[in-house]
Amino acid sequence: MSTTTCQVVGFLLSLLGLAGCIAATEMDMWSTQDLYDNPVTAVFQYEGLWRSCVRQSSGFTECRPYYTILGLPAMLQAVRALMIVGIVLGVIGLLVSIFALKCIRIGNMEDSAKAKMTLTSGIVFIISGVCAIIGVSVFANMLVTNFWMSSASMYGTMGGMVQTVQTRYTFGAALFVGWVAGGLTLIGGVMMCIACRGLTPDDTNYTAVSYHASGHNIGYKSGGFKASTGFGSNMKNKKIYDGGARTEDEGQSHPSKYDYV
């Protein structure tokens, strides 16, 4: 799979996952009434994160929002927070990933900048999907716990006869939508991170340049090296070099009579 294809597929999966997270958060069927062993079938109850609804057999549905915040269970508030955080992170990752797409050119943006943006959006999508999956799983665990506690208090020890009628709730459609949406967002984020490797430019190869000394040969006297730091020695060497250069120039400027033979 090419880098562009992997990036576009990850973007589309993350987009679908974000849309599913928003839909799951707005749905009212997070928990639905369990109709097993329930003698009352004329009324069907279901609850969401923001309101509870009652649907009658005649088709009339009435919903009542939760008018309190402090009176709600702490787990329900935690699920709300996780879903909202997941949606916000998904929107941020979506905006970043739009500018990071390789098929879209914005000014003189380099591939290295697009690679960093792709990696950032992938990480944000992964965190968003994890938040959605954790939120839905926490709500499902709360339903399972309440279901078995209600079942334990619902049946007595006298021949298994039903003593009280208590409403029990089971998984709603919103839970499955949330799980699928979180998984899509998570997979899309992973694909965006994989696509980042293909967008990273290769390291620039610099050609080695060798420097050679000048072609003039310099003769050194044998007898060791004598270190000197005084100004006079430098001036003396300069005079020697200057004298040698001047003698060479004079020899070239005044040819001898044998040059014409």
Side-chain angles (χ1 to χ4, degrees):
M1 183 181 295
S2 62
T3 301
T4 305
T5 305
C6 183
Q7 189 182 33
V8 172
V9 171
F11 173 78
L12 294 178
L13 289 178
S14 301
L15 180 61
L16 291 176
L18 177 61
C21 290
I22 296 175
T25 306
E26 292 292 331
M27 291 177 66
D28 295 327
M29 287 191 176
W30 280 70
S31 60
T32 58
Q33 182 180 0
D34 183 29
L35 300 179
Y36 180 75
D37 287 343
N38 188 4
V40 180
T41 58
V43 178
F44 180 71
Q45 301 179 6
Y46 53 93
E47 296 179 351
L49 296 180
W50 313 101
R51 59 183 181 174
S52 60
C53 300
V54 176
R55 185 176 62 194
Q56 300 179 1
S57 58
S58 60
F60 179 75
T61 302
E62 182 180 2
C63 295
R64 181 178 181 275
Y66 301 135
Y67 292 106
T68 180
I69 296 179
L70 299 178
L72 296 175
M75 300 298 291
L76 180 60
Q77 297 183 12
V79 172
R80 280 181 172 184
L82 286 171
M83 297 303 295
I84 292 175
V85 169
I87 292 174
V88 172
L89 291 178
V91 172
I92 295 174
L94 183 65
L95 294 177
V96 175
S97 62
I98 291 176
F99 296 101
L101 291 176
K102 191 175 181 180
C103 56
I104 298 178
R105 287 291 179 183
I106 302 176
N108 296 325
M109 183 178 296
E110 299 179 354
D111 290 339
S112 60
K114 284 184 174 291
K116 294 179 181 179
M117 295 176 67
T118 302
L119 180 61
T120 302
S121 61
I123 294 174
V124 172
F125 280 139
I126 291 175
I127 298 176
S128 174
V130 170
C131 288
I133 293 175
I134 292 177
V136 176
S137 300
V138 168
F139 193 90
N141 180 68
M142 183 175 61
L143 283 180
V144 172
T145 303
N146 293 336
F147 181 86
W148 291 113
M149 290 180 63
S150 301
S151 299
S153 61
M154 186 174 179
Y155 293 95
T157 57
M158 298 178 60
M161 298 180 59
V162 178
Q163 294 181 347
T164 58
V165 177
Q166 187 174 358
T167 303
R168 297 183 302 177
Y169 292 93
T170 184
F171 293 169
L175 295 180
F176 302 100
V177 174
W179 273 319
V180 174
L184 290 177
T185 308
L186 181 62
I187 295 174
V190 172
M191 295 189 69
M192 294 290 285
C193 293
I194 295 175
C196 169
R197 299 182 59 183
L199 293 174
T200 305
D202 297 334
D203 296 335
T204 305
N205 295 325
Y206 295 96
T207 304
V209 179
S210 59
Y211 295 92
H212 301 279
S214 59
H216 299 286
N217 295 325
I218 301 176
Y220 296 92
K221 291 183 179 181
S222 59
F225 175 76
K226 182 178 181 181
S228 62
T229 57
F231 180 76
S233 62
N234 294 332
M235 292 300 296
K236 183 178 180 180
N237 294 333
K238 184 176 181 182
K239 289 180 181 180
I240 292 174
Y241 293 145
D242 292 343
R246 184 171 59 253
T247 304
E248 183 180 357
D249 294 338
E250 290 177 355
Q252 294 179 359
S253 60
H254 300 284
S256 63
K257 62 180 180 179
Y258 298 101
D259 296 335
Y260 299 96
V261 178

